Amino acid sequence: GATAGMSAIFGSPIAAIFLAIELLLFEFAPRSLLPVAMACITGAAGHHVFFGSEPMFAMPAVEIAGNQALFGYSIIGLIIGLVALLLTKAVYWVEDGFERLPVHWMWWPAIGGVAVGVIGYFAPRTLGVGYENLTDLLSGNAPMQLILSLAVLKLLSWLIALGSGTSGGTLAPLMTIGGAIGCLLGMAAIALFPSVGIVLPVAVLVGMAAMFAGASRAFLTSVVFALETTGRIEALLPLLAACAAAYLVSYFLMTNTIMTEKIARRGIRTPDSYEPDVLEQISVEQLMGSDMPEVHADRTIADVFKQHGMEVPYLLVTSAEGLFEGVVARSDLQARSPEDRVGTCAFAPGIVRSGDDLRRAARMLAVRAEHRPLVVVAEGTVVGLITHTDLLKAYGSRIDEHEQGDAVIILKRRRLKVMAQGKRMFEKVVGRG
């Protein structure tokens, strides 16, 4: 519903699909992708019927940015990322402030609404969804009074509204505030470094997208949304540079996003990355070890223990003609009389092919009683066994390999957090002293 609504309002079906993947589903599978895609296509078709096929936000044509300009937009994205971090902290600081008020929680939205109304009385453009604000900012000709009111008063109004529990959105306010701050940064860059090639409308667009990318960590959604709603493909590289900078700031310095902080406070873990199923990447053949010992079904348990010892967990049971009859567990043999025949203890295991992936093996092991293993068959011949322990070891090994690729960046992220926590601790100690 959220993605279809986004597509219907803004005419941005691709960005809506990315939103579902990056923020809602964390899954790239037909069962989720196809329904979302159909809903977004339907929403976009409705937008074209009622609002036309023109981009949502009109923006003047701009030239492709040079290398110096790209560097400038990256710096703007970096600064916006820091602002997004502070803004996320501020939202929940305001929320905590309302929780400390000596009034019942049902009055919080009313108090927030009064504050929003007072701000709106002096700055009417801070009220409502404010799509016209984005259009004015993207034109590059917005008056300074409007820019400052959106960068400061809109920010204050939105923080109070969201922190008090008053009903309100996130996407449009974030982009309005980010666009206004991007406009101010662009004006400063043009005044200080006129030869760099910063263009004010692109600086606004970069601020809009970078603010959402930093606050929500929806990198692809932010870039594609900006392109779809303005139709300015020449702004692709500035958007990529700025959103990547804002995303990195958010990743290194912020544990949760503005979307997940409240859920995390309630003790619910939310996914923060899209990863494939590692079990689908490993075949049964890769997991198999050495061949399992074979014993005839008519042999006694005493003979088997004398030949193979007590350490072998499972044995393949065959007939006198060498045909496979089942599997026997050492624990089952130990519970029986030494004179009993091995064949009386055998059980029929589940069967997987050597070319199957471990996900199929995991599904079969999950329904096997008493942790019974699976028999691996290749070209009609039993070639080995797979147990629950084998599966867990393979999963853990592949997870370790995957995490080693991210070890450096994760270590740096933790160092930054430890440094920040250490600085706060030092300030507390000094303050007490």
Side-chain angles (χ1 to χ4, degrees):
T3 55
M6 177 180 177
S7 179
I9 294 171
F10 298 103
S12 55
I14 301 177
I17 293 173
F18 279 125
L19 180 73
I21 295 173
E22 291 187 298
L23 291 183
L24 303 177
L25 301 176
F26 282 97
E27 182 181 55
F28 196 81
R31 65 181 180 182
S32 57
L33 184 60
L34 291 178
V36 169
M38 295 302 296
C40 292
I41 292 170
T42 305
H47 177 88
H48 291 166
V49 170
F50 293 103
F51 304 107
S53 58
E54 294 299 318
M56 181 71 177
F57 305 121
M59 178 178 171
V62 294
E63 296 182 358
I64 296 177
N67 291 337
Q68 289 183 330
L70 284 177
F71 179 76
Y73 293 128
S74 299
I75 298 301
I76 292 176
L78 189 68
I79 297 173
I80 294 289
L82 292 172
V83 175
L85 185 151
L86 296 175
L87 189 149
T88 302
K89 299 293 184 182
V91 167
Y92 293 99
W93 179 80
V94 173
E95 185 177 278
D96 292 340
F98 272 95
E99 291 180 355
R100 289 191 291 268
L101 290 177
V103 296
H104 193 273
W105 62 265
M106 72 176 183
W107 293 107
W108 299 349
I111 297 172
V114 170
V116 171
V118 171
I119 295 174
Y121 177 80
F122 294 100
R125 296 290 292 270
T126 62
L127 299 175
V129 292
Y131 299 148
E132 69 281 358
N133 295 331
L134 291 174
T135 302
D136 290 343
L137 290 172
L138 288 168
S139 70
N141 299 317
M144 180 59 69
Q145 181 180 0
L146 174 63
I147 298 171
L148 290 175
S149 70
L150 295 178
V152 179
L153 297 180
K154 176 68 175 179
L155 171 59
L156 181 61
S157 174
W158 180 70
L159 284 177
I160 295 174
L162 211 60
S164 67
T166 302
S167 178
T170 302
L171 177 61
L174 278 175
M175 291 204 164
T176 301
I177 297 165
I181 297 175
C183 186
L184 292 174
L185 294 174
M187 294 169 67
I190 292 171
L192 296 174
F193 310 102
S195 61
V196 171
I198 297 292
V199 179
L200 199 55
V202 178
V204 172
L205 186 63
V206 158
M208 291 167 49
M211 180 65 80
F212 189 68
S216 67
R217 259 183 238 157
F219 174 70
L220 295 176
T221 302
S222 303
V223 173
V224 175
F225 180 84
L227 293 177
E228 284 189 297
T229 54
T230 61
R232 293 303 174 193
I233 190 64
E234 57 269 24
L236 174 60
L237 290 181
L239 285 169
L240 286 173
C243 290
Y247 183 93
L248 286 175
V249 169
S250 174
Y251 178 80
F252 278 112
L253 301 180
M254 191 163 59
T255 303
N256 298 300
T257 70
I258 198 169
M259 309 292 185
T260 61
E261 177 69 22
K262 182 174 290 189
I263 300 175
R265 288 183 173 201
R266 296 174 180 174
I268 302 174
R269 183 185 177 276
T270 57
D272 59 0
S273 62
Y274 165 74
E275 298 176 0
D277 188 343
V278 296
L279 295 181
E280 290 184 336
Q281 302 174 345
I282 309 174
S283 68
V284 170
E285 187 176 10
Q286 292 175 274
L287 183 60
M288 284 193 318
S290 58
D291 294 338
M292 301 298 296
E294 297 181 9
V295 295
H296 290 165
D298 59 352
R299 294 187 60 183
T300 64
I301 294 176
D303 290 341
V304 170
F305 279 142
K306 183 177 180 181
Q307 179 180 357
H308 298 285
M310 303 286 288
E311 302 301 323
V312 179
Y314 295 101
L315 298 169
L316 299 181
V317 180
T318 60
S319 64
E321 295 78 18
L323 299 178
F324 173 72
E325 289 194 355
V327 176
V328 65
R330 180 189 62 197
S331 58
D332 293 338
L333 295 179
Q334 291 174 332
R336 301 289 292 271
S337 169
E339 302 304 321
D340 288 346
R341 303 294 176 179
V342 172
T344 61
C345 305
F347 61 86
I351 298 175
V352 291
R353 297 186 298 272
S354 60
D356 291 339
D357 59 50
L358 289 190
R359 183 172 180 175
R360 173 179 170 79
R363 285 198 300 265
M364 296 185 65
L365 283 171
V367 299
R368 299 293 296 171
E370 300 177 5
H371 296 283
R372 297 299 193 185
L374 302 176
V375 167
V376 181
V377 176
E379 298 181 356
T381 303
V382 176
V383 294
L385 294 176
I386 285 185
T387 66
H388 292 75
T389 303
D390 296 331
L391 187 72
L392 291 174
K393 286 182 178 179
Y395 181 80
S397 175
R398 185 55 61 96
I399 288 294
D400 290 341
E401 292 176 7
H402 178 76
E403 290 181 347
Q404 285 175 3
D406 297 332
V408 175
I409 192 169
I410 291 174
L411 180 60
K412 290 181 178 179
R413 181 182 181 184
R414 289 176 178 171
R415 283 177 178 172
L416 284 171
K417 291 180 179 178
V418 170
M419 289 174 61
Q421 293 172 358
K423 182 178 180 181
R424 289 195 294 270
M425 183 66 69
F426 173 77
E427 290 173 347
K428 290 181 179 179
V429 173
V430 171
R432 292 173 183 173

